[in-house]
Amino acid sequence: MAFDLETAEHPENLRRVAIEPLSRVEGHGKVTLLLDEANHVRQARLHIVEFRGFEKFVQGRPYWEIPVMVQRLCGICPVSHHLAACKALDQVVGARLTPSAEKLRRLMHYGQILQSHALHFFHLASPDLLFGFDSDVARRNIVGLVAEYPDLARQGVLLRKYGQEVIRLTAGKRVHGTGSVPGGVNKNLSRAEREALLKDAYQVIAWSRDAVHLVQRLFEQNLALYEEFGSFRAHGLSLIRADGAMDLYHGGLRARTLDGQTLFDHVDYDHYWDHIFEEVKPWSYMKFPYLRELGPETGWYRVGPLTRVNQCDFIPTPLADKERQAFLAHDGGRPAAATLGTHWARMIEMLHSAETIKDLLHDDDVSGDDLVTQGERQERGVGIIEAPRGTLIHHYRVDENDQVVRANLIVSTTHNNQAMNEAIRAVARKYLDGHELTEGLLNHIEVAIRAFDPCLSCATHAMGKMPLKVELVDAGGRVIGRITRSGDGSCA
Amino acid sequence: MSKLRVATTSLAGCFGCHTSLLDIDERLFDLLKLVEFDRTPLTDIKHCGPCDLGIVEGGVCNAENVAVLREFRRNCKVLVAIGACAVTGGLPAQRNHLDLGDCLSEVYLTEPGTRHGLIPNDPELPLPLDKVHPIGEVVKVDYFIPGCPPSADAIWKFLTDLIAGRTPTLGHGLIKYD
Ligand code: SF4
């Protein structure tokens, strides 16, 4: 399948410009642009250069290790992987969670959404919006924010801290905790822990609401720019609760087309592969998923805050739902398509998380003692959760020796692969095409990518022509590793 | 007093060590009075310049990691390996007992739900190494902080010792191998 600006016809005559590593995103990726003599953009690609092979090396491990192993995929949203794996393994151990277990997991999860959204907005993305996309590099970061907007920076740091504390108290530690296990959780919250968290909950809700209003103000003050920048219409995919409410922990699958028509709804995610297929392209380690109903040409879609706020019928906490209505009013009933609107939607979700955390802390079930259950052992399990960045799928097959024999993971950022490529191409067409490229202009590309809060990894660098061979030599000149790649891409 | 110039990077890591660095919470504001950042994932400086301290998360899994690591070593007076991945290779090194070709074909060719698979091979993608290496196998490392990730308190103690000109030490409760 060929998308506009994906592949130049005669790349050999074009000039290559790379943005690498992408900064103020999690992990490293890069963008390459190919330009002709008149600086017209002929090709624009976001490359994901990470290859870790988790699916392969979890094979042979006992299934109960998986929730702890897989969080090492991502240190910003470890809880999402921890819980998606546990949800899949709940099925393997045949468990139906007790109310206490489910509520404690929800608490952990909403703590995760809160801290991740705060980190993304305050520490990473907000300097673009507050200082300008092509403002001074030295100031366009958290340090500049602390200097010029100290109160805002302080709120960001404390919001994130609060989410991390919710995680610590439910998962055991802030990063890579162990609180959730197949069939339930291994820890409840004491009264004292609940009271300590409740003490700050209302302040956290108030600051979250301020953050929603801040983005709304920025949006309204620069309406033309914010509506258009890197924007495109896309199909959407998310989990949805049975009554149509936003639910980031559990639900059925809902997909809507770019004009808002329902493609499928409340689908049991156990057979997600009936709806989602993936394509591989030679220039990225990240696959390109698409909706099978629509096929690879037109079936790509968007996940994450913008889609979730658009697609739910309501948000089940009052303050966030009010903000959702204000958000939707902007597009007069059409699904919102503005890439930068994702920041607004993300802050609405942060507010929803803060409200949900407060409600759960008031619920005595989170201090209950009935934490783990088991039932009839199954051979496979699928767990899907709405992670901060979007729909996250874990799927395992476990043999009679309790060893994992097969694993498939489709992470949130992967679902957004084509969408992010569309966003950078829209920006390249409108802002870069025909211009001498400056640092500030190149940052426009990153501003579009940052709106998705992608989770990338490992910096990259062009290594010349294939076939080639790389040797890793230690300080003493000893060869300690090598890899060769032949022209067909096979590695030896 | 001039500020300590600090660069940080994540190689084959999960970003959890950077997350733990941010878990110093409000102490970040104190830190910013004492240090300035060069290349880090928090700034838009793309290449590391001369620095007093380089903090490296993650082991080395591809050719690009090697290049970035060497750039850090060349530019940083003091280099610290932060977290299990940088210290030992960590979880990503679990692929070391497997054949890389098998890993790639499992993920890109034979996984169900993948339409005409192929192994990504564009020259823009850095070549994966057949093994994941701890950074100490590639460059000289001055300090190692274990943990997955090391706690924010451990990172804070290390930084404040170093900034004050003391030899950093992590006492009881701060060294963890999880
Ligand atoms: S040591 Fe742990 S937290 Fe740090 S990068 Fe490696 S897996 Fe992530």
Side-chain angles (χ1 to χ4, degrees), chain A residues 115-127 129-130 145 152 211-212 214-215 218 343-344 346-347 350 453:
Chain A
Q115 75 81 18
S116 176
H117 281 2
L119 170 81
H120 176 260
F121 183 69
F122 293 97
H123 297 66
L124 301 176
S126 67
L129 310 183
L130 293 167
L145 191 76
L152 199 63
V212 178
L214 170 65
V215 183
L218 287 165
H343 294 293
W344 188 352
R346 188 175 288 115
M347 292 300 97
M350 184 166 82
D453 185 14

Side-chain angles (χ1 to χ4, degrees), chain B residues 45-91:
Chain B
I45 300 172
K46 308 284 185 186
H47 285 280
C48 173
C51 283
D52 300 297
L53 174 64
I55 299 176
V56 178
E57 164 196 298
V60 171
C61 81
N62 64 27
E64 175 58 13
N65 293 158
V66 178
V68 172
L69 179 59
R70 293 205 166 125
E71 182 180 285
F72 264 64
R73 179 69 275 184
R74 264 198 315 279
N75 282 292
C76 301
K77 288 189 205 138
V78 173
L79 196 71
V80 50
I82 186 179
C85 295
V87 175
T88 69
L91 195 77

Side-chain angles (χ1 to χ4, degrees), chain A residues 16 21 23-24 26-28 30 32 45 47 49 51-52 54-57 59 61 69 72 74-76 119 137 140-141 154 157-158 160-161 164 173-176 277-280 282-285 287 290 296 406 408 446 450 457-464 466 468 470 472-474 480 482-483 485 489, chain B residues 9-16 19-20 22-23 25-26 28-29 32 37 39 41-44 46 60-66 68 70 91-92 94-95 98 100-104 106-108 110-130 133 137-138 148-149 178:
Chain A
R16 170 182 177 275
S23 43
R24 289 187 284 127
E26 185 210 345
H28 303 298
K30 74 171 171 185
T32 58
R45 290 173 170 179
H47 305 268
V49 299
F51 175 76
R52 282 194 247 164
F54 260 79
E55 280 123 322
K56 180 76 184 170
F57 70 65
Q59 292 174 13
R61 309 300 307 191
M69 283 179 78
R72 269 82 183 174
C74 172
I76 290 193
L119 170 81
V137 192
R140 209 176 55 209
N141 52 47
R154 184 158 209 96
V157 165
L158 293 177
R160 179 178 174 279
K161 176 184 181 181
Q164 288 291 76
K173 65 201 250 263
R174 281 181 166 200
V175 182
H176 303 332
F277 240 55
E278 293 181 287
E279 178 147 53
V280 186
W283 46 272
S284 184
Y285 282 126
K287 295 177 185 177
Y290 59 90
R406 200 150 191 122
N408 187 30
E446 293 190 71
R450 276 179 210 124
S457 201
C458 303
T460 181
H461 194 67
M463 290 297 295
M466 293 176 297
L468 90 135
V470 178
L472 180 57
V473 181
D474 70 6
I480 56 174
R482 82 178 71 205
I483 171 113
R485 180 160 60 183
Chain B
T9 189
S10 170
L11 305 176
C14 76
F15 239 73
T19 303
S20 204
L22 290 175
D23 279 340
D25 299 332
E26 305 96 302
L28 179 66
F29 304 118
L32 289 178
F37 288 126
R39 170 184 167 161
L42 296 169
T43 61
D44 290 341
K46 308 284 185 186
V60 171
C61 81
N62 64 27
E64 175 58 13
N65 293 158
V66 178
V68 172
R70 293 205 166 125
L91 195 77
Q94 294 223 15
R95 80 157 158 83
L98 301 167
L100 175 60
D102 286 353
C103 286
L104 287 163
E106 166 100 24
V107 173
Y108 295 104
T110 57
E111 197 163 274
T114 305
R115 182 170 172 263
H116 10 88
L118 55 91
I119 293 177
N121 65 350
D122 192 272
E124 293 289 358
L125 301 178
L127 282 164
L129 295 163
D130 62 347
H133 297 269
E137 285 187 11
V138 183
C148 181
D178 55 352

Side-chain angles (χ1 to χ4, degrees), chain A residues 23-40:
Chain A
S23 43
R24 289 187 284 127
V25 294
E26 185 210 345
H28 303 298
K30 74 171 171 185
V31 167
T32 58
L33 304 166
L34 295 182
L35 307 154
D36 65 17
E37 307 91 76
N39 287 320
H40 290 304

Side-chain angles (χ1 to χ4, degrees), chain A residues 200-277:
Chain A
D200 294 325
Y202 295 90
Q203 179 65 73
V204 164
I205 291 171
W207 283 339
S208 299
R209 193 150 71 139
D210 291 347
V212 178
H213 293 159
L214 170 65
V215 183
Q216 178 171 8
R217 245 185 350 264
L218 287 165
F219 205 98
E220 286 167 352
Q221 281 164 5
N222 307 282
L223 197 58
L225 173 72
Y226 273 62
E227 280 186 335
E228 164 280 324
F229 187 83
S231 298
F232 51 88
R233 302 220 158 254
H235 315 312
L237 177 78
S238 66
L239 289 181
I240 198 79
R241 199 167 82 180
D243 61 357
M246 171 182 280
D247 189 335
L248 303 177
Y249 178 76
H250 191 65
L253 289 170
R254 168 177 282 183
R256 292 217 170 125
T257 61
L258 54 153
D259 44 18
Q261 303 298 314
T262 299
L263 194 63
F264 52 80
D265 211 358
H266 302 297
V267 166
D268 181 352
Y269 62 58
D270 256 14
H271 287 82
Y272 69 91
W273 54 84
D274 288 340
H275 303 281
I276 297 166
F277 240 55

